[in-house]
Amino acid sequence: MHPPAADVNALLALYNTRRYAEAESRSRALLGQYPDAGLLWKLLSISLHMQGKDPLLALQKAARLLPGDAGVHNNLGNVLHDLGQHESALAAFDKLLALAPDAVQAHYYRGVVLRDMGRLDE
């Protein structure tokens, strides 16, 4: 079940006006009603990240619910890399590249992860 468009639009308005704490709070409230709404998990993760909070759990949930969302896999790969979870980051970038093979940024960040893993030949 998906949240009503009006609720999603109101949440996007909070995000677009950089009211991230309010967007986080509203996302969490909506997730209480719509726990399987991948877009809400994605917006929660972005709101958390923009506040300097840990978005990992929200991103992981978003990736499970939105397996075809390239942006989620990109964000997940970057967060995992920042946490030093290189194998998981590599898997996220591989998923992203399976969805969007021409995503230049994904190739770059995948290379950064491989470099950090000492796998320069790859």
Side-chain angles (χ1 to χ4, degrees):
M1 199 158 148
H2 300 286
D7 287 333
V8 172
N9 289 337
L11 182 56
L12 288 170
L14 291 172
Y15 174 77
N16 289 332
T17 56
R18 299 179 181 197
R19 294 162 55 192
Y20 302 121
E22 291 175 70
E24 175 191 354
S25 178
R26 187 67 189 135
S27 294
R28 290 185 188 283
L30 287 169
L31 282 166
Q33 295 175 282
Y34 307 97
D36 293 328
L39 178 59
L40 295 178
W41 287 104
K42 180 180 180 178
L43 292 172
L44 174 61
S45 73
I46 294 168
S47 296
L48 291 168
H49 178 75
M50 296 306 290
Q51 295 178 82
K53 297 180 180 180
D54 182 5
L56 182 59
L57 294 177
L59 274 171
Q60 289 171 326
K61 183 76 171 185
R64 282 192 299 277
L65 293 169
L66 300 171
D69 188 313
V72 168
H73 294 287
N74 182 67
N75 294 347
L76 181 58
N78 284 321
V79 167
L80 290 166
H81 175 255
D82 290 346
L83 293 171
Q85 297 181 26
H86 300 297
E87 289 293 339
S88 296
L90 193 58
F93 288 124
D94 286 344
K95 175 68 175 176
L96 169 56
L97 288 168
L99 295 169
D102 295 332
V104 174
Q105 185 178 13
H107 287 283
Y108 171 78
Y109 286 117
R110 186 177 187 279
V112 169
V113 172
L114 288 168
R115 179 203 64 203
D116 291 351
M117 296 172 74
R119 295 165 54 181
L120 296 175
D121 290 342
E122 293 177 58

